[in-house]
Amino acid sequence: MTWKDRYEELHKKNQRLEIEFELFRSLVENSLDLIYRTDIGGVITYISPSVFRMSGYTVEEAIGMNMAQEVYRFPEEREKFLEQLREEGHVEDFEAQLKRKDGSSWWASTNARFYKDADGNILGVEGITRDISSLKETNQALHESETLFRLAFHISPDSVNLNRISDGMYIKINQGFTEMTGYTPEDIRDKTSIEIKIWDDIRDRERLIKGLKKTGYVKNLEARFIKKNGETLVGLMSARRLSLHGEDVLLSITRDISDLKQAQEIMIQSEKMLSVGGLSAGMAHEINNPLAGMVQNSEMILRRLTDTKLPSNKKTAEELGLNMDAIKTYMEKRDILKMAHSVKQSGGRIANIVENMLSFARSEDNRESSYSIPEILDRTIELAKTDFDLKKQYDFRKINIIRTYEKGLPLISCEPNKLQQVFLNILNNGAYAMQQADTENPTFILKISFDTESQKLCIEMEDNGPGMDGGVEKRIFEPFFTTKPVGVGTGLGLSVSYFIITENHRGEIKVDSEKGKGCKFIIHLPRLKTPPQ
């Protein structure tokens, strides 16, 4: 090879090197990442222009800075970086906080290694650093969001559950779900809501699915659910489709509104009772007028047929050629007088019934008055005796009533019509129970006494019916709890009675009963009503 050929070859090689160097320089200067070198003491000897964008320092300012003292936010992280570098010979994705010129921090991820001379001696560190501040912020926000979701999921008093859309399997439930339904995470593992039979009416689930398909979410779906123990509850559910780890899931939040629904039903029932009361009052007033005429005329008939000494009777009989004694004898032999007396007695009985209806339906004023409890109870018994019909299949008039009223009982500050409602509920329930059990010689024992020390009146209403077991006794005052068949009882009578005694009269009511040994209701009423503390 001639000298000229060798020169041309070297020239071409230099040209290639210049091109490659220019390319390398362009890549380094235009790189979004930061490329740097430090000496063995950690002083920056080279750094790419991207340092200004990342940290605010110019290249000239950055060269000569000490990494541990001036660049790292926490010097101990630099030591961890060097320790890993010495142990493994290289570092990948080492995350640390670095300082900007203005004093703020930024997150960096670095890949680095030692660079050496021809003899293998370590000269320093070279590496590439990437700004991951945005990624860290995103991850932090995601972490915080997941933490908040996890916190809300677990501490929410409402029932929260996640189900897979594909097969309906439960993924996760919170403590609220367990407290509301009784089902634990172990109970629902690898099961669907259909398999554990949580829906009382499958049509509610179909409404949920239909709403999700239409809009992807459902708000305020009211449905009935079945607890693990077989009881039912009313829940208000909201649900939404979500994507979790690439999988479509259903997030459901359900609130138990059973107590709210019961309260609404009680309010509705109260409104119905007010309406019935108003209707009863109106009917009673309408009955009173013809009733008064019937009673008055029956008295006049008896007087004109039986009073042989009444001048007008004698005069009219003589004018017609009749004898008053003979007329009276005829009436007696044909039981006409007996029938007339029966009409009069029935009229009087109807008058008492009407008076009781008016008393029961009459609205109370806010003035506090005192009343005789024995009188209220006696009036209630008379009202109960008129409450016979074929649907109830019992006649209260056939029940023995034993009264034991203490003498000299004081008047009690109360609302008589509401107390009458309480007494009537207890009497009707007892009569029904005794009739259903075919109780021999059905009897009510009614006792009223007064405790001078506590200044409370004690009313005991005891029957000799079938009684009740402990489970029923504990729930007897719960709204909507009833042992009667559907259509016979609403389960509201005793719960309303409990409210009337405890809230309206600041008293107490309890039940004492054993299976097969009858049932006794005990009511304590303070002599004077006192406002709640």
Side-chain angles (χ1 to χ4, degrees):
M1 178 181 294
T2 66
W3 177 87
K4 186 177 180 179
D5 293 335
R6 189 173 180 81
Y7 174 81
E8 289 179 357
E9 183 180 350
L10 288 172
H11 181 68
K12 290 179 180 178
K13 188 176 181 180
N14 286 334
Q15 284 183 326
R16 287 197 302 271
L17 288 172
E18 288 177 3
I19 292 172
E20 290 176 2
F21 177 80
E22 184 63 29
L23 177 61
F24 172 76
R25 188 182 64 81
S26 178
L27 288 173
V28 169
E29 291 183 354
N30 292 290
S31 173
L32 295 177
D33 295 333
L34 186 149
I35 302 170
Y36 72 93
R37 267 191 174 187
T38 71
D39 62 17
I40 195 66
V43 175
I44 299 173
T45 57
Y46 173 81
I47 199 160
S48 63
S50 55
V51 67
F52 181 76
R53 178 179 57 81
M54 292 184 181
S55 69
Y57 291 105
T58 65
V59 172
E60 291 76 17
E61 290 171 330
I63 291 177
M65 293 177 68
N66 184 281
M67 293 291 286
Q69 298 174 3
E70 301 177 79
V71 176
Y72 274 80
R73 168 64 65 183
F74 305 104
E76 58 269 23
E77 291 187 347
R78 172 68 175 175
E79 292 303 318
K80 288 169 59 178
F81 169 80
L82 292 174
E83 182 180 347
Q84 185 176 337
L85 195 58
R86 285 190 290 266
E87 289 178 356
E88 302 179 15
H90 64 89
V91 171
E92 291 184 2
D93 300 325
F94 183 86
E95 294 184 4
Q97 283 184 284
L98 306 183
K99 292 187 288 187
R100 293 190 178 95
K101 185 177 180 178
D102 61 8
S104 61
S105 300
W106 60 287
W107 276 96
S109 175
T110 300
N111 292 349
R113 64 183 179 87
F114 288 124
Y115 69 91
K116 305 174 183 178
D117 61 14
D119 296 326
N121 298 314
I122 296 176
L123 300 178
V125 177
E126 60 184 8
I128 300 176
T129 297
R130 175 165 293 177
D131 186 350
I132 59 169
S133 299
S134 296
L135 179 62
K136 292 291 287 187
E137 290 174 2
T138 301
N139 288 340
Q140 179 66 20
L142 180 60
H143 174 72
E144 291 176 356
S145 178
E146 289 178 348
T147 301
L148 288 173
F149 172 78
R150 192 179 300 109
L151 185 64
F153 184 92
H154 287 292
I155 70 172
S156 172
D158 295 331
S159 164
V160 185
N161 57 281
L162 286 169
N163 296 72
R164 283 202 300 262
I165 295 290
S166 57
D167 54 14
M169 287 287 185
Y170 281 99
I171 299 173
K172 198 174 186 64
I173 63 173
N174 73 335
Q175 182 62 26
F177 185 98
T178 299
E179 291 175 357
M180 189 176 83
T181 67
Y183 288 104
T184 65
E186 290 73 25
D187 294 328
I188 56 89
R189 184 174 290 120
D190 299 325
K191 289 185 176 65
T192 69
S193 59
I194 295 179
E195 288 176 315
I196 65 172
K197 298 180 180 178
I198 199 168
W199 294 93
D200 185 46
D201 189 339
I202 201 66
R203 289 175 296 182
D204 290 330
R205 180 177 180 273
E206 292 171 355
R207 286 195 300 157
L208 172 66
I209 294 173
K210 184 178 179 181
L212 290 171
K213 286 181 178 179
K214 185 176 181 180
T215 62
Y217 64 90
V218 171
K219 288 185 178 180
N220 300 331
L221 172 67
E222 190 175 304
R224 297 189 70 85
F225 299 95
I226 305 174
K227 297 183 180 181
K228 186 178 180 179
N229 62 6
E231 296 177 1
T232 60
L233 64 91
V234 182
L236 193 65
M237 172 185 280
S238 293
R240 181 178 290 274
R241 292 176 65 116
L242 300 173
S243 180
L244 185 65
H245 304 305
E247 185 176 37
D248 284 339
V249 299
L250 174 65
L251 172 65
S252 304
I253 302 175
T254 306
R255 175 164 295 179
D256 186 350
I257 59 170
S258 301
D259 291 342
L260 175 62
K261 295 296 289 185
Q262 289 174 359
Q264 290 174 343
E265 291 293 336
I266 290 174
M267 289 178 65
I268 293 171
Q269 183 70 10
S270 298
E271 290 295 327
K272 288 182 179 179
M273 290 298 293
L274 289 173
S275 299
V276 170
L279 179 62
S280 299
M283 291 175 60
H285 282 297
E286 290 297 322
I287 292 171
N288 257 337
N289 291 331
L291 178 62
M294 184 182 80
V295 172
Q296 186 177 2
N297 286 328
S298 63
E299 273 202 37
M300 292 298 297
I301 291 171
L302 284 170
R303 187 179 182 189
R304 292 184 182 186
L305 290 177
T306 59
D307 192 345
T308 58
K309 295 181 181 180
L310 188 67
S312 57
N313 284 355
K314 291 176 66 176
K315 180 181 179 181
T316 303
E318 289 172 358
E319 289 176 355
L320 297 174
L322 300 174
N323 183 277
M324 277 299 302
D325 292 329
I327 293 173
K328 181 178 179 181
T329 303
Y330 172 80
M331 295 295 176
E332 289 174 346
K333 286 183 175 293
R334 293 295 296 158
D335 287 334
I336 294 175
L337 296 181
K338 185 177 180 180
M339 294 177 188
H341 279 294
S342 178
V343 170
K344 181 181 177 182
Q345 289 173 356
S346 296
R349 186 173 178 80
I350 293 172
N352 288 333
I353 293 172
V354 169
E355 177 58 29
N356 273 336
M357 288 174 64
L358 284 169
S359 176
F360 187 73
R362 190 177 294 121
S363 61
E364 298 288 340
D365 57 27
N366 293 324
R367 290 175 297 174
E368 191 173 286
S369 301
S370 297
Y371 297 87
S372 167
I373 299 302
E375 287 183 10
I376 295 173
L377 185 53
D378 287 343
R379 288 173 65 86
T380 306
I381 293 169
E382 292 303 312
L383 185 63
K385 287 180 179 180
T386 68
D387 197 25
F388 170 78
D389 61 40
L390 295 177
K391 182 179 179 181
K392 292 189 176 72
Q393 297 179 340
Y394 65 84
D395 189 348
F396 198 92
R397 292 170 295 183
K398 296 180 180 179
I399 298 175
N400 297 321
I401 307 293
I402 300 176
R403 297 174 174 87
T404 305
Y405 299 162
E406 189 178 282
K407 291 184 178 180
L409 291 171
L411 301 179
I412 298 297
S413 177
C414 65
E415 298 175 68
N417 299 334
K418 289 184 178 179
L419 284 185
Q420 192 173 20
Q421 182 180 352
V422 173
F423 298 153
L424 194 59
N425 283 333
I426 294 173
L427 292 171
N428 282 337
N429 284 345
Y432 175 82
M434 289 187 285
Q435 184 271 330
Q436 290 295 107
D438 291 326
T439 300
E440 185 177 349
N441 190 29
T443 302
F444 276 113
I445 300 175
L446 308 177
K447 297 180 181 179
I448 304 178
S449 59
F450 184 73
D451 184 359
T452 55
E453 184 176 348
S454 64
Q455 290 291 297
K456 289 182 179 180
L457 194 79
C458 179
I459 306 157
E460 297 181 16
M461 305 176 69
E462 182 178 3
D463 64 53
N464 64 338
M468 62 186 77
D469 58 36
V472 174
E473 183 180 344
K474 288 179 180 178
R475 302 186 59 196
I476 197 70
F477 295 114
E478 289 184 14
F480 300 101
F481 176 77
T482 179
T483 57
K484 296 178 182 178
V486 176
V488 177
T490 64
L492 287 171
L494 289 178
S495 62
V496 171
S497 298
Y498 182 88
F499 181 85
I500 289 173
I501 296 298
T502 60
E503 296 295 325
N504 293 141
H505 292 84
R506 310 301 165 199
E508 302 166 358
I509 180 172
K510 62 181 181 178
V511 63
D512 183 11
S513 179
E514 289 184 37
K515 193 72 173 177
K517 295 186 178 180
C519 181
K520 180 194 291 186
F521 283 87
I522 304 169
I523 300 171
H524 290 96
L525 295 174
R527 185 171 185 175
L528 296 175
K529 285 200 300 180
T530 56
Q533 300 298 318

